[in-house]
Amino acid sequence: MTSMLTLLRMVMGFVIAKFIAVYTGPSGLAMLGQIQSMVVSLNGLINAPAGSGVVRYTSENYRDGYQACAPWWRASIQWILIVSAIVIPIGFVFSEYLSNQLFQDPSFNWLIVITVCLLPLAALGTICNSVINGQQQYRRYVSLGMVSVVVSSCLMVLLIITANIEGALFATAIQSGLIGLIMLLLNFKQPWFKFQYWWGKTDLITRKSIGGYMLMAITSALTVPVSLILVRNMVIDQLGWEAAGYWQAVWRISDVYITVITMALSTYYLPKLSSLVGVECILKEVRKTVSVIIPIVIVLSLIVYFLRDFAIAILFTEEFSAARDLFAIQLTANVIKITGWLYAYPMLSRGATKWYISSEIFFSISIVLLSYLFITGFGLKGIVFASLLNNSIYLFFVMSNIRTFSR
């Protein structure tokens, strides 16, 4: 079933890319990239208490009954309420400023308002996914994923056709909230979906346990997507919206299989690492996963590279032909990136908060600085050169320190 979900994600991702290219062109694709980065950042903030921490503690305790998991579930809900109370008002107040930073046009502030209003729904949907994942109910996890992909993708295509770029931006803004609503409706009758497990007292130690994972997730939400926005703004300022659209096209094609790999890691790899005890056991699992995943990633990258002209013609339009020169370096950078992720996942599974936060901040800053230097020297190709160098340094960093943060 996982392979079916993988295939579905890839197909729907390609379909959406085609409609965006036809109806909005390179500049529209660049605008879509901006709002997607914003949505990922905001969702990362609100989902921080609902993700990896819930997966870990559910995985460790569900065999003892749902009551044993309840303290961490309650702590997650409490943190979501706190984050919502902070993020939503800030989103309202700074909506015009954020719109101007993203689109160079404050009139799109309504997108920010809609996105922040739907954040609690997105968080509740993530909690449901995390509980299912933590219990290793992979069949249900995949089935619900299929429903979410189909519904959200069909909505996006419909809105792109009817409202062009504004429809695409609106669909992106509401997508996570819609998926959250679907997850709530489909899990409402589950035995673990009872008020007593989700609301009540919890101790300080439990809240701190979830809080540790929150810090890591919030760091990712405020570093990776924001750094992408800053890099994209550099391209827009120096080379224009069209050039940013070319880079976004390459990013979107490569992101399809990266997303698939990431889903597989979150579904199988993270719970497995969380259940292991001892550095040697963790290292053995990491090496085994690398030996399986990386050859697949390399093969996928080679296929994408040799079929890049065909992919551009099928997935986009002739307007995007200039993007072909970016593929080789970008795909190489992707292989190195995924390898680095495999070695870095023990940071999440072991709750190595300081390691994770410091590395995310450092390498997000470095990609922005490297991009500035390389864009100035090499133009649009400078972005992919910067990614290659940054990912290589990150891989060296995590491979050198994996024994330390796996303890």
Side-chain angles (χ1 to χ4, degrees):
M1 291 188 71
T2 304
S3 60
M4 291 174 61
L5 179 57
T6 300
L7 178 62
L8 182 62
R9 283 182 181 275
M10 292 179 69
V11 170
M12 297 310 295
F14 291 149
V15 169
I16 290 171
K18 182 65 175 181
F19 275 93
I20 291 171
V22 171
Y23 284 90
T24 68
S27 59
L29 192 64
M31 291 182 70
L32 189 69
Q34 289 290 73
I35 191 172
Q36 284 176 330
S37 294
M38 181 205 71
V39 169
V40 168
S41 184
L42 291 175
N43 280 333
L45 290 174
I46 200 68
N47 288 334
S52 300
V54 175
V55 173
R56 175 184 176 180
Y57 294 114
T58 301
S59 177
E60 292 178 353
N61 295 281
Y62 79 94
R63 292 180 181 85
D64 298 323
Y66 298 132
Q67 194 62 48
C69 303
W72 287 278
W73 295 351
R74 292 168 185 164
S76 176
I77 291 293
Q78 291 169 13
W79 278 117
I80 288 172
L81 292 174
I82 293 171
V83 175
S84 297
I86 297 171
V87 173
I88 293 176
I90 291 176
F92 271 85
V93 173
F94 292 98
S95 61
E96 288 191 4
Y97 171 79
L98 292 172
S99 176
N100 195 53
Q101 291 299 309
L102 291 170
F103 310 113
Q104 300 178 347
D105 185 350
S107 66
F108 284 104
N109 66 312
W110 56 275
L111 290 168
I112 286 84
V113 172
I114 291 173
T115 302
V116 297
C117 285
L118 294 176
L119 287 177
L121 268 181
L124 294 177
T126 301
I127 280 187
C128 291
N129 261 331
S130 297
V131 170
I132 295 168
N133 192 2
Q135 296 178 82
Q136 300 178 33
Q137 295 176 352
Y138 299 130
R139 184 179 294 272
R140 181 171 181 79
Y141 183 90
V142 171
S143 299
L144 295 181
M146 288 182 174
V147 173
S148 299
V149 168
V150 171
V151 173
S152 59
S153 298
C154 289
L155 175 66
M156 178 169 278
V157 169
L158 178 63
L159 288 171
I160 292 169
I161 293 172
T162 56
N164 291 332
I165 184 59
E166 288 194 356
L169 298 177
F170 176 67
T172 304
I174 68 171
Q175 187 176 36
S176 297
L178 176 63
I179 290 174
L181 178 60
I182 293 170
M183 292 299 297
L184 287 176
L185 294 175
L186 294 177
N187 286 290
F188 186 72
K189 294 186 178 181
Q190 290 297 301
W192 48 264
F193 201 96
K194 293 182 179 178
F195 186 77
Q196 68 191 66
Y197 298 137
W198 296 95
W199 190 257
K201 292 183 179 180
T202 187
D203 57 64
L204 181 61
I205 295 176
T206 304
R207 285 195 294 271
K208 282 186 175 181
S209 298
I210 295 294
Y213 282 91
M214 275 184 62
L215 288 175
M216 291 189 283
I218 288 173
T219 301
S220 292
L222 294 176
T223 53
V224 178
V226 172
S227 65
L228 282 175
I229 291 172
L230 293 175
V231 170
R232 205 177 284 114
N233 281 342
M234 289 180 198
V235 178
I236 293 167
D237 291 339
Q238 296 188 38
L239 306 173
W241 282 97
E242 296 285 317
Y246 300 147
W247 176 55
Q248 187 66 29
V250 177
W251 182 274
R252 192 167 185 85
I253 290 175
S254 60
D255 189 53
V256 171
Y257 71 84
I258 287 179
T259 301
V260 170
I261 295 295
T262 303
M263 188 195 77
L265 294 180
S266 299
T267 304
Y268 299 107
Y269 189 47
L270 180 59
K272 179 65 176 179
L273 289 178
S274 298
S275 66
L276 296 176
V277 178
V279 175
E280 293 304 322
C281 290
I282 292 173
L283 287 175
K284 182 179 179 181
E285 182 64 27
V286 170
R287 293 181 185 123
K288 184 177 76 172
T289 305
V290 167
S291 67
V292 173
I293 296 295
I294 296 307
I296 295 173
V297 174
I298 291 173
V299 170
L300 288 173
S301 297
L302 288 171
I303 291 172
V304 171
Y305 176 74
F306 287 115
L307 296 177
R308 65 191 185 282
D309 291 323
F310 177 76
I312 291 172
I314 295 297
L315 302 179
F316 301 103
T317 64
E318 291 183 359
E319 292 181 85
F320 291 84
S321 58
R324 72 182 308 277
D325 297 330
L326 305 177
F327 275 87
I329 304 169
Q330 181 66 56
L331 293 172
T332 304
N334 289 345
V335 173
I336 297 172
K337 175 195 286 188
I338 294 172
T339 308
W341 283 352
L342 291 172
Y343 280 94
Y345 255 78
M347 289 187 200
L348 291 174
S349 68
R350 308 317 299 169
T353 307
K354 291 181 181 179
W355 280 95
Y356 186 85
I357 290 175
S358 59
S359 63
E360 286 290 292
I361 292 174
F362 177 84
F363 286 100
S364 292
I365 293 173
S366 65
I367 188 60
V368 174
L369 296 177
L370 288 171
S371 295
Y372 177 78
L373 293 174
F374 280 81
I375 290 171
T376 302
F378 300 97
L380 188 56
K381 281 189 177 181
I383 306 178
V384 289
F385 281 126
S387 295
L388 179 62
L389 179 58
N390 201 59
N391 293 347
S392 298
I393 298 172
Y394 181 76
L395 175 59
F396 176 78
F397 167 77
V398 292
M399 290 183 70
S400 301
N401 295 284
I402 186 171
R403 285 185 175 274
T404 304
F405 57 67
S406 294
R407 293 171 184 168

